[in-house]
Amino acid sequence: MAKNILTIRDHRTGKEYELPVDSGSIRALELRQIKESEDDFGLITYDPGFSNTASCRSRITYIDGRKGILRYRGYPIEQLAGRVSFLEVAYLIFNGELPDQAQKQAWVEEITGHAEPAAGVQRVVSAFSRDSVAMAMLMSSFAALGGFHPASEDMATAASRRPHLLRLIGNVPALSAWIYRHKMGLPFVPSQAGLSYSENFLHMTFERPDGSFDLHPVFAQALDVLFVLHADHEQNCSANAMRSVGSSKADPYLSASAAVGALAGPLHGGANEAVLRMLNLIGSREQVASHIEKVKQGRFRLMGFGHRVYKNYDPRAKIIKKMADEVLEVAGSSPLLDVARELERIALQDDYFVSRKLYPNVDFYSGLIYQAIGFPSWMFPVLFALARTSGWVSQWEEMVSDPEQRIARPRQLYEGPAKRDVGS
């Protein structure tokens, strides 16, 4: 018997079916042949949240959650973060290979050539009240870009799509900085040549009204590493939104706007805010043990521990913990860092958490770093989106280039009323 065949016996009818297995999967449409009768629609799968459904083939990011592995295009995240700049990683994710020196220079020039968004988008940002939700502002800004750079008639080839995709990567630092400055009541700051991607973003965000700006290299380096760690993460909620909306041939600006909306949810992009709230609630190292007991009693959730994908230590958490130490050495010790370290120490020694594989994830320390650099917590999801834009556009381009890709249109299990008639 062939090894790559799955045999299914339907005990309703007594029939057997042979389904080919490819890359550890079967094609869902193969199940449609399994019917009780000829007028039966055929079997479908029921998979809320797509927990065990592959919606695409991808060559971008590989994750093995059981072993704690994350790789971009085959490169382990541990070999990229801190050794390769964010823009080089963005090149890798988008193009498939790390750039040589000439390719890197051309890529950086291409991205920085898009550092200033259309002036009209400033008016969109400025139209919001200062107490508006930051992610709603970013979502609207992405959609507005599509209005200033119509792309629907220009998507036929990779070459015609490229400027639009790279514009998103190049524009998002300025859009993010504008959101911060508008909400803080500060004037917008133009991009500055000669700075790295992360440095320029920090400059546009934190330049003082008198034009002065102090940039500590550790802050810029930490932000660059965080951008690398968040650049892509396989078929997460926002990447799925990017692909799903893009599958209707919506342009990348509208697709990215939808991805921002997905990321805005607290189950996706708001986790590091929840960690800070928890650390503030605990208050001091002395209260950690008591909080741990309340977690074990089911009275609180332990935020920043565990991951839907990683059933081992999140490989990004090891890198980010080191960055937190370096940033806080410059910014000054934080009482919350002391709480975080004690919380991690106790949890990693407690059988309750170890047996459940509840290890720190990337969100556990990232909020502490952002806060130490000077970002308020409402900017955390925006920073996440800034980094993830490179992954979104790469996922979108891969999707539109895939000849097998179809418009996203899931099935449902209808459980409403059967046919009924309106009374006379």
Side-chain angles (χ1 to χ4, degrees):
M1 183 177 292
K3 291 183 178 179
N4 294 327
I5 295 292
L6 173 68
T7 301
I8 296 178
R9 172 178 286 275
D10 186 350
H11 289 277
R12 300 173 303 172
T13 62
K15 293 182 179 180
E16 282 193 356
Y17 302 85
E18 292 187 344
L19 280 58
V21 178
D22 178 25
S23 301
S25 67
I26 61 171
R27 287 185 175 266
L29 286 178
E30 293 281 354
L31 297 173
R32 291 272 290 276
Q33 64 184 296
I34 304 176
K35 303 179 179 182
E36 284 191 279
S37 62
E38 282 304 313
D39 60 353
D40 184 4
F41 181 80
L43 282 188
I44 63 174
T45 60
Y46 178 58
D47 187 12
F50 309 114
S51 299
N52 196 44
T53 298
S55 62
C56 65
R57 297 178 185 270
S58 182
R59 303 176 64 87
I60 298 172
T61 298
Y62 172 77
I63 296 173
D64 186 328
R66 293 171 302 170
K67 298 179 180 177
I69 293 172
L70 169 61
R71 299 174 189 151
Y72 296 156
R73 302 284 190 178
Y75 290 99
I77 193 66
E78 297 87 348
Q79 295 181 22
L80 295 171
R83 296 172 58 184
V84 180
S85 73
F86 171 69
L87 281 188
E88 289 174 282
V89 169
Y91 182 99
L92 167 69
I93 292 173
F94 189 80
N95 296 290
E97 301 290 343
L98 284 169
D100 59 28
Q101 194 57 40
Q103 290 168 330
K104 176 183 175 181
Q105 182 176 346
W107 174 257
V108 170
E109 289 175 357
E110 206 168 4
I111 297 297
T112 54
H114 293 297
E116 291 290 347
V121 184
Q122 283 193 0
R123 295 193 292 273
V124 173
V125 174
S126 298
F128 283 88
S129 63
R130 286 176 54 186
D131 61 354
S132 296
V133 175
M135 287 294 271
M137 298 169 72
L138 184 62
M139 191 176 183
S140 300
S141 299
F142 272 12
L145 284 174
F148 290 99
H149 304 283
S152 58
E153 303 299 323
D154 196 22
M155 294 287 106
T157 67
S160 64
R161 295 189 294 266
R162 183 183 176 92
H164 298 287
L165 298 174
L166 300 196
R167 180 177 292 110
L168 278 163
I169 300 175
N171 277 184
V172 67
L175 296 177
S176 303
W178 290 353
I179 290 168
Y180 171 84
R181 295 188 72 86
H182 178 66
K183 284 178 65 66
M184 298 297 289
L186 299 169
F188 297 152
V189 175
S191 174
Q192 182 171 311
L195 298 178
S196 74
Y197 191 83
S198 300
E199 289 170 341
N200 191 39
F201 169 62
L202 288 172
H203 160 255
M204 289 188 290
T205 303
F206 293 124
E207 182 185 278
R208 300 185 186 91
D210 64 3
S212 62
F213 172 63
D214 297 326
L215 174 67
H216 199 290
V218 169
F219 289 177
Q221 172 65 10
L223 200 59
D224 202 74
V225 169
L226 283 166
F227 287 169
V228 169
L229 297 179
H230 286 103
D232 194 63
H233 208 243
E234 205 226 34
Q235 299 309 308
N236 54 81
C237 182
S238 57
N240 178 67
M242 184 82 182
R243 281 178 173 265
S244 184
V245 173
S247 72
S248 73
K249 296 192 181 299
D251 68 46
Y253 305 107
L254 294 175
S255 302
S257 179
V260 172
L263 187 66
L267 294 183
H268 191 5
N272 47 17
E273 287 184 87
V275 171
L276 281 188
R277 287 195 295 269
M278 176 189 70
L279 296 177
N280 277 304
L281 176 66
I282 296 171
S284 69
R285 289 185 59 184
E286 292 71 27
Q287 296 300 316
V288 170
S290 172
H291 186 82
I292 287 283
E293 289 306 311
K294 292 175 183 176
V295 169
K296 292 161 70 171
Q297 294 165 12
R299 296 166 60 187
F300 290 103
R301 286 186 61 193
L302 190 61
M303 309 306 299
F305 280 71
H307 195 280
R308 185 180 179 188
V309 173
Y310 297 110
K311 305 309 175 188
N312 201 320
Y313 206 100
D314 184 338
R316 301 168 298 173
K318 300 176 183 178
I319 300 165
I320 212 167
K321 180 179 179 181
K322 179 175 179 292
M323 293 307 308
D325 290 337
E326 294 177 6
V327 167
L328 288 160
E329 185 177 344
V330 172
S333 182
S334 162
L336 293 187
L337 180 63
D338 295 336
V339 174
R341 285 172 173 159
E342 181 68 4
L343 184 62
E344 181 182 38
R345 185 189 69 80
I346 294 177
L348 291 181
Q349 295 176 359
D350 192 307
D351 287 341
Y352 178 90
F353 301 103
V354 174
S355 65
R356 290 165 172 76
K357 299 186 183 299
L358 293 176
Y359 302 107
N361 60 38
V362 71
D363 299 307
F364 188 66
Y365 280 103
S366 61
L368 290 169
I369 294 175
Y370 291 145
Q371 186 182 63
I373 292 174
F375 291 105
S377 60
W378 48 259
M379 273 293 289
F380 294 176
V382 176
L383 296 167
F384 196 157
L386 197 168
R388 187 56 60 84
T389 299
S390 61
W392 290 337
V393 301
S394 302
Q395 295 280 350
W396 188 94
E397 174 61 22
E398 186 178 65
M399 181 272 302
V400 298
S401 303
D402 184 353
E404 289 190 327
Q405 197 64 49
R406 304 167 65 184
I407 185 171
R409 197 342 186 148
R411 296 286 176 179
Q412 66 172 19
L413 297 181
Y414 177 72
E415 296 183 343
K419 181 190 174 185
R420 49 186 178 172
D421 299 318
V422 176
S424 57

